[in-house]
Amino acid sequence: MTSLAVVTMLVICGTVWGGFAALVVRAVRRESAKVRDRGSRLPPSGPAPEQG
Amino acid sequence: MSAQEHFSSRWGLILATLGMAVGTGNIWRFPRVAATHGGGSFLVAWLVFLLLWSVPLMVVEFAFGKRARRGVMGAFHDLAGPRWTWMGGWVALCATFIMFYYSVVAGWCLRYLWASLTGELTRRGSAEVWSGYAESPAAVVTHVLAMALAAAVVWFGVRGIERVAKVLIPTLFVLVVILAVRAVTLPGAEAGLNFLFTPDWAMLKNPEVWLQALTQNAWDTGAGWGLILTYAIYMRVREDVSLNAFLIGFGNNSVSLLAGIMVLCTVFALNPSASQEIVGANNEGLTFIWMPQLFAAMPAGGFFMTLFFLALSFAALTSQISLLELATRVLIDLGVRRHLALLLAAGTGVVFGTFSALYMPVFRNQDWVWGVGLILSGLFFSVAALRFGLGRLRREVINAEGCDLAVGPGWSLLVGFLIPLEAIVLMIWWLYQAHGWDPQGWLDPFGSETAGTVLAQWALGLLGLVVLNQRLARGLKRSCAEEMP
């Protein structure tokens, strides 16, 4: 392969595949943070208060 | 919409939407267009328009679906105003007509998957299989089969779509990676990589390269088709918009890039002397005649040929499912029950698609008319977003609760100014291209690929929608009122 083709391949593939991978990682992190956030808003677990 | 109709997770939504975006265009069109328009230079322009066309429009679509929770026509009615329902009707019309003939393409893929599995392609030769199959009753049978498979998935609503996407899309990614690795490791494959990645910077001064790159983005990412909007109806309430749009855009183009490497390395490694002829062939010629011949010439070729047509079938079916869901959803919004709406959409698709299955000029005509029509759909999305208010859409939907990636005023500039400009230039350019193909008959309304046929069919569609606008708006309003508790 010519060096120009190698450089272009690295730049293009790096941007597209690297960009996609980075976006997936960001989405995974944000989803985990949302799950943690929802968990911390739940009332503390324990026996339900007796009725009546 | 019933309360429980939602994707179970963000990943369900992303996989289903990726299934919509990744279609046969990624595998059979992108490698050809990239190779014949400057290789590396085309890829630069293609990346630029991913950010200047596809992603901003995907953000609009996700935002419309999330806000309106109705199909394309209902969303345009609710967000742009009842007087603009016809624009949503146009987006629905375009995608529905594509669904009619795309089912034929999905049928071709299934037929070739069967022929590669049974060894028929190697035994009889791909050219003979194609000449005996294309435009024959067998093509109608596979078209009906593809429509039936898509309908069977849509029958179960969003749960069915999500379950199928969760299996088919990861498998499709794995298949394309396996095929790309196999192609790259063939002796002589580096000639294909050189061809794809060597930039010809002078080509960047050629407007055609930019227009082809924009077209490729408009046609293979699914932005502006109304399909993302349709899936976004089923988003969870606190779901992100813009990060998801970037994910779909980059995910789709990642598959295109892998497909480009796979196809061009295979071509240059196995038949370098005919490489120019192969990449210059049309979509069907490359995929259904040349690729099987090339696979037959490689070690374990039958196995890799089967993987190739399996990947192509998965890509086609997941896109067909989204097209069928769009048409079904529009009918649901007009008050038809889901299963009846699905049967109506699929039944009409079977009837209209049969003409494309039996006559290639009809197929090419429909591909041409509604392919260019999609660019007008993109323009209509911009207009509807402007009507709703770009700042309001950003504030109330895109950057609202659940947002993982806020968009700034630059997005408003893209949607409000640049995308309409791109759409207008692109439509004029494609119609002008038709003049170059046939200077005498380019305005013939009965030609297969003329500007005249585009304008005539568009005029009929637009006129019908404008005339019916009030009635459609009333139907949407009534069905919305009936859903209220």
Side-chain angles (χ1 to χ4, degrees), chain B residues 3-326:
Chain B
Q4 66 271 28
E5 271 192 310
H6 283 101
F7 283 104
S8 66
S9 68
R10 177 182 210 157
W11 307 112
L13 168 73
I14 286 172
L15 288 172
T17 316
L18 266 176
M20 172 284 298
V22 176
T24 49
N26 298 63
I27 298 172
W28 73 13
R29 191 174 189 277
F30 171 79
R32 279 191 316 104
V33 178
T36 50
H37 291 88
S41 345
F42 172 87
L43 296 178
V44 171
W46 170 73
L47 263 183
V48 168
F49 283 119
L50 171 66
L51 300 174
L52 298 186
W53 173 275
S54 303
V55 173
L57 270 178
M58 285 177 177
V59 171
V60 175
E61 284 207 43
F62 270 122
F64 271 30
K66 185 180 178 183
R67 173 73 180 218
R69 301 286 174 180
R70 299 223 275 172
V72 274
M73 214 151 67
F76 273 65
H77 171 276
D78 295 354
L79 304 184
R83 280 172 49 213
W84 304 81
T85 307
W86 63 273
M87 276 195 177
W90 171 263
V91 179
L93 186 83
C94 238
T96 304
F97 271 88
I98 289 173
M99 181 264 285
F100 295 163
Y101 71 81
Y102 199 79
S103 172
V104 176
V105 175
W108 293 345
C109 300
L110 291 172
R111 170 71 181 91
Y112 266 63
L113 173 62
W114 177 251
S116 56
L117 264 173
T118 55
E120 185 190 356
L121 273 177
T122 328
R123 238 182 5 258
R124 287 179 57 203
S126 54
E128 196 190 320
V129 171
W130 181 253
S131 63
Y133 164 67
E135 300 185 278
S136 77
V140 179
V141 173
T142 51
H143 151 58
V144 175
L145 176 67
M147 188 69 85
L149 284 173
V153 176
V154 176
W155 182 269
F156 295 99
V158 69
R159 291 280 177 220
I161 295 168
E162 182 176 354
R163 277 187 194 146
V164 167
K166 278 181 171 173
V167 176
L168 295 197
I169 297 306
T171 313
L172 171 63
F173 267 83
V174 171
L175 290 174
V176 177
V177 169
I178 291 172
L179 288 163
V181 169
R182 169 70 280 214
V184 168
T185 50
L186 286 168
E190 67 175 58
L193 293 175
N194 268 331
F195 196 72
L196 179 62
F197 288 108
T198 303
D200 178 358
W201 300 122
M203 290 285 273
L204 283 178
K205 291 180 195 156
N206 180 356
E208 188 183 340
V209 171
W210 291 91
L211 290 163
Q212 284 286 2
L214 174 55
T215 305
Q216 186 60 29
N217 269 289
W219 286 350
D220 92 353
T221 57
W225 295 39
L227 300 168
I228 294 173
L229 184 157
T230 304
Y231 280 173
I233 297 169
Y234 311 111
M235 276 173 136
R236 294 171 306 166
V237 179
R238 287 175 196 83
E239 187 68 272
D240 162 79
V241 166
S242 44
L243 181 59
N244 284 346
F246 273 95
L247 259 171
I248 303 306
F250 275 81
N252 175 76
N253 284 22
S254 293
V255 176
S256 291
L257 207 48
L258 280 166
I261 291 169
M262 168 185 77
V263 170
L264 292 174
C265 287
T266 307
V267 169
F268 278 82
L270 298 171
N271 198 346
S273 57
S275 55
Q276 297 294 338
E277 188 189 344
I278 297 172
V279 295
N282 60 16
N283 293 333
E284 306 92 81
L286 172 69
T287 310
F288 297 114
I289 295 174
W290 281 108
M291 288 306 286
Q293 288 178 17
L294 295 171
F295 279 118
M298 79 165 62
F303 172 71
F304 289 106
M305 195 192 300
T306 306
L307 294 192
F308 175 77
F309 285 111
L310 188 62
L312 205 62
S313 300
F314 284 179
L317 279 175
T318 48
S319 299
Q320 177 67 11
I321 288 166
S322 65
L323 288 160
L324 189 56
E325 171 63 21
L326 181 148

